[in-house]
Amino acid sequence: MPSSHPSADGSSDEEDSDFHEGFLCLGRRQMTGRRREILGAFIRENGLGRIRPIRPRILEGFKMKNKDTKPGAMPDKNHWTVIILVFLFLCGFSFYLGGIFCSEKNRYFKRDDAPVIQSYHDIGVAPLKVKHVEFGECSLDHQDYTPCTDPKVRIVFDLVWKECLVPPPAGYKPPIRWPESKGQCWYRNVPYDWINNEKSNQHWLRKEGDKFFFPGGGTMFPNGVGEYVKLMQDLIPGMKNGTIRTAIDTGCGVASWGGDLLDHGILTISLAPRDNHEAQVQFALERGIPAILGIISTLRLPFPSNSFDMAHCSRCLIPWTEFDGIYLLEIHRILRPGGFWVLSGPPINYERRWRGWNTTIEQQRSDYNKLKLLLSSMCFKLYNEKDDISVWLKSVDSSCYSKITLSSSLPKCDDSSDPDSGWYTPLRLCLTIPSPKLKLGLNFLPTWPNRLWTTPARISTLYNGNPGGFKHDNKKWKARVKHYKALLPALGSDKIRNVMDMNTLYGGFAAALIDSPIWVMNIVSSYGSNSLGIVYDRGLIGTYHDWCEPFSTYPRTYDLLHLDGLFTAESHRCEMKYVLLEMDRILRPTGYTIIRESYYFVDALATIAKGMRWNCEKHATEYNAAKEKILICQKRLWHATKQ
């Protein structure tokens, strides 16, 4: 990103640096990088780029004025009066600026009833213009380029931004439409045979002609996921009546479990790394099933605490009892009170299964006892168990946590640890305790679909969060989506399945589309208001992300990308060109974008999009607002030239 960013009056961050330094001198403590960014945005918007504050160095002037005073000589009384007055002025000015900062920062990182659009129109700034540039094609070996999770690339992403367009595989064609895609996909779209060759006896998938077919098998359910889910429903009645709505599947394979749960009204994030299994998540998304690249390793998963109603591991090979149970602690963090953790595979049912696990019965018995001890220490209770499936319930009783002390094997996390922090946050060997002030337990939530429109209790934790604002947000998005459908008839049809809302607040866009044959990945900015818990409380799914970085998915995995004021909020941090190139990477050929933005950015965005082989049309908003426009684009299907 360029070192200096133009401000509204034509000045740059470099020109504003003296003001930043002056504010730092006046403040009681130094500002973090994020606060500098907030203040810089405030300065540019309000035309303060060229203002220079009175700096504490003025005191040096008084010292210099009396540098010849003899030792022991008393300064003039008037002199002391001036110094005191200046000191009082500086203190008052400091508190004044601090008040502005505290109230204004939310205009950039807190989104309430409506997206904040900077007042470019009010101050008479012409729309941003950029030169047209034709982006070239990346080499063919980048057809599945996943920069953050590429096992061949182990360097910081800033060093590997690609200013080129990721090509599709040879023979690529638009995906099969939902719901047929749940059971089949084009072989050339995901041309990988490892799973077909290595897991053929488990019926994950099979290749026939020019297609892959997904019969619904898995390591622990080789005879079909349907029977497996039916047994789970017998063990967990809440899967049948709308009590359970959101789930996470760790080590998901090709996401057959998550796909089957869609038929039961349960929305699952299927999670898997990019490893030797070749494109598990890519297969899932090609089928139209929610999935994301990820792994429980050294960092927290990018989700808030107390979010999922159910977590599942079907022989996912995560060493739950190793490292003092640190991976199980992460499951505890993201699972809401009253939620269920389901485990099938080692060491469950070890008495019958141990011979096929390349281990001994003694080892499996030891692992099983360790697992029970760990779960009990985390306030889980065995809820049900039958055959290969064991179900554990996260306690809703806070008295269990009150028994945990500093001397316990798993201590409570201290107050310095934000339980909802999930962006580059290291795993910690401590237990995240649910807040007794918020009723986040599964027993407090309405059943689906009523919970979608019920104001979540967690909204009270947000700046300006209140039931009235929540209802207004729902009303606003219903009107916007109605307008979007008039502009883009494909929205709501079987032409669009995988959708991403790139910067949501409460998930209003996804909620307004709930009756369409789609699912939405709701993205909450890691730099913004932490509202992702509200998205989950509504029965929707999403993740944290910073759009200065690439998203954890394969290329060509979404049919529609929607954003609302993203460049207005983030252009001071993230270079617009690279955000658009990342959008191109994850957007399917023939897929669409709906870009709702300040009029200041729209023409520049259209120019860059044209260089990426997108066809765009500019439209008015539903209320014909002068300060923002809607840019609807479609990515063309093209095939790589010989390289």
Side-chain angles (χ1 to χ4, degrees), residues 318-539:
I318 296 173
W320 298 114
T321 58
E322 299 297 320
F323 311 110
D324 298 316
I326 195 167
Y327 303 139
L328 203 52
L329 284 168
E330 179 61 358
I331 294 298
H332 179 277
R333 183 185 72 86
I334 63 175
L335 193 65
R336 71 173 66 250
F340 299 91
W341 184 58
V342 182
L343 177 65
S344 64
I348 306 303
N349 200 15
Y350 68 88
E351 298 94 337
R352 291 182 51 214
R353 292 282 193 176
W354 69 271
R355 291 182 179 84
W357 292 340
N358 193 29
T359 184
T360 64
I361 191 171
E362 291 79 13
Q363 180 62 51
Q364 288 301 306
R365 183 184 296 113
S366 175
D367 287 348
Y368 184 61
N369 290 333
K370 285 181 183 177
L371 183 65
K372 289 196 297 182
L373 185 62
L374 269 173
L375 287 166
S376 297
S377 68
M378 298 178 191
C379 295
F380 279 101
K381 294 181 180 179
L382 183 61
Y383 183 79
N384 223 329
E385 192 170 77
K386 186 176 181 181
D387 298 335
D388 295 324
I389 301 177
S390 182
V391 181
W392 293 77
L393 175 72
K394 180 177 175 179
S395 178
V396 295
D397 185 3
S398 59
S399 64
C400 173
Y401 298 107
S402 64
K403 300 174 183 177
I404 300 174
T405 65
L406 291 175
S407 60
S408 301
S409 57
L410 290 175
K412 299 178 184 179
C413 293
D414 56 43
D415 293 338
S416 66
S417 175
D418 180 0
D420 290 337
S421 178
W423 189 248
Y424 287 113
T425 305
L427 292 178
R428 294 184 62 188
L429 201 59
C430 58
L431 194 63
T432 302
I433 309 301
S435 171
K437 298 179 182 179
L438 296 174
K439 296 181 179 181
L440 302 177
L442 197 58
N443 55 318
F444 292 114
L445 295 178
T447 57
W448 180 261
N450 293 331
R451 69 189 273 187
L452 179 65
W453 306 111
T454 302
T455 304
R458 215 175 324 208
I459 202 168
S460 63
T461 64
L462 296 185
Y463 176 82
N464 277 353
N466 57 75
F470 178 77
K471 293 178 181 178
H472 174 76
D473 188 76
N474 289 330
K475 182 179 179 181
K476 173 187 71 178
W477 280 108
K478 286 179 180 179
R480 288 184 172 188
V481 167
K482 181 179 179 181
H483 185 59
Y484 290 165
K485 287 183 176 181
L487 301 177
L488 182 62
L491 182 60
S493 74
D494 61 1
K495 293 181 180 180
I496 293 175
R497 172 62 184 168
N498 301 352
V499 178
M500 179 185 290
D501 190 359
M502 294 176 61
N503 60 327
T504 191
L505 179 61
Y506 299 145
F509 174 71
L513 286 165
I514 199 63
D515 294 326
S516 300
I518 66 165
W519 65 271
V520 179
M521 181 65 77
N522 291 280
I523 308 300
V524 169
S525 171
S526 60
Y527 269 73
S529 180
N530 194 347
S531 60
L532 189 54
I534 293 171
V535 172
Y536 277 93
D537 292 345
R538 301 187 70 176

Side-chain angles (χ1 to χ4, degrees), residues 247-290:
I248 183 170
D249 188 11
T250 53
C252 63
V254 293
S256 292
W257 184 75
D260 192 83
L261 289 183
L262 289 171
D263 296 335
H264 303 281
I266 299 175
L267 194 57
T268 304
I269 287 186
S270 296
L271 180 80
R274 181 173 179 177
D275 58 13
N276 63 314
H277 284 73
E278 277 189 352
Q280 299 173 87
V281 166
Q282 194 171 19
F283 275 120
L285 290 163
E286 189 70 16
R287 298 174 66 185
I289 299 171

